[in-house]
Amino acid sequence: VNPQNEVAAIQILTQIKQMKISAAIYGSNVTAGSEVIKQATKETEGMFFADAPGLDSSSTRTKEFLDNFSKQYEGGVEAYNAAAYDGVYLFHQASIQVGGDSEKVRDYFYGLTDYHGVFGIYGFDEKGDIKGISFVMKQVKGGKTETVSEIKAEPAPERDVE
């Protein structure tokens, strides 16, 4: 289940229960949002979902981001907010270093191995796939989310690019 918003998630999960579908439910971080779990507690019970790792609030940069975010916006910070924030700054940094040529920007990212961002310390491999960030598998139990396992990032399979 991968809806675009929490309202749709609640509707889909409610319909799954109404239809008495007994298969395991695998969702997204949207499907397992705190408001969805609060409003559809029975419907989300047992659901699995992949999520980004928690943010390291001991990092000065991350702490500053969390403080500024909470002053400006209501609600909690999702790791994806931090990833988007990093993305803007990474692109800005790349454009300063190499200009606006898309191939040079791509190569800049491919060569980045230890960016210390709000989302964590990470980089990219020669194919542009992220390295250094592991995601987690979680499950909803009793109206709360619990980490089930860590999902280690594997190198992407070879692909033909024309």
Side-chain angles (χ1 to χ4, degrees):
V1 178
N2 191 20
Q4 296 300 309
N5 60 61
E6 291 183 335
V7 172
I10 293 167
Q11 292 171 340
I12 293 167
L13 292 166
T14 300
Q15 289 175 354
I16 288 171
K17 290 298 179 186
Q18 287 172 346
M19 295 172 67
K20 298 182 178 166
I21 296 173
S22 61
I25 299 173
Y26 292 85
S28 66
N29 64 311
V30 173
T31 314
S34 58
E35 197 58 34
V36 175
I37 294 172
K38 183 173 142 186
Q39 291 187 33
T41 305
K42 288 191 307 186
E43 291 83 354
T44 58
E45 184 65 27
M47 180 179 65
F48 292 94
F49 65 101
D51 200 5
L55 299 177
D56 178 9
S57 58
S58 68
S59 157
T60 304
R61 188 168 186 174
T62 303
K63 184 173 178 355
E64 183 178 292
F65 170 78
L66 293 170
D67 291 344
N68 289 336
F69 191 94
S70 64
K71 287 177 191 170
Q72 196 161 10
Y73 303 101
E74 290 183 30
V77 178
E78 299 284 339
Y80 300 103
N81 300 121
Y85 180 88
D86 277 356
V88 169
Y89 279 91
L90 276 169
F91 185 75
H92 176 72
Q93 183 178 327
S95 64
I96 288 171
Q97 294 290 320
V98 300
D101 180 284
S102 61
E103 289 184 12
K104 288 181 180 178
V105 170
R106 178 203 60 207
D107 293 342
Y108 176 86
F109 284 120
Y110 285 8
L112 194 64
T113 58
D114 64 345
Y115 177 71
H116 290 248
V118 173
F119 191 56
I121 300 171
Y122 56 94
F124 303 92
D125 67 16
E126 67 281 353
K127 299 175 196 163
D129 295 315
I130 196 165
K131 295 188 314 183
I133 300 288
S134 294
F135 287 78
V136 291
M137 179 64 71
K138 294 183 177 181
Q139 186 176 26
V140 179
K141 290 183 180 178
K144 301 201 181 313
T145 61
E146 296 180 8
T147 299
V148 175
S149 64
E150 186 176 3
I151 303 167
K152 290 285 188 192
E154 298 290 332
E158 292 296 320
R159 54 184 173 224
D160 294 327
V161 179
E162 294 180 21

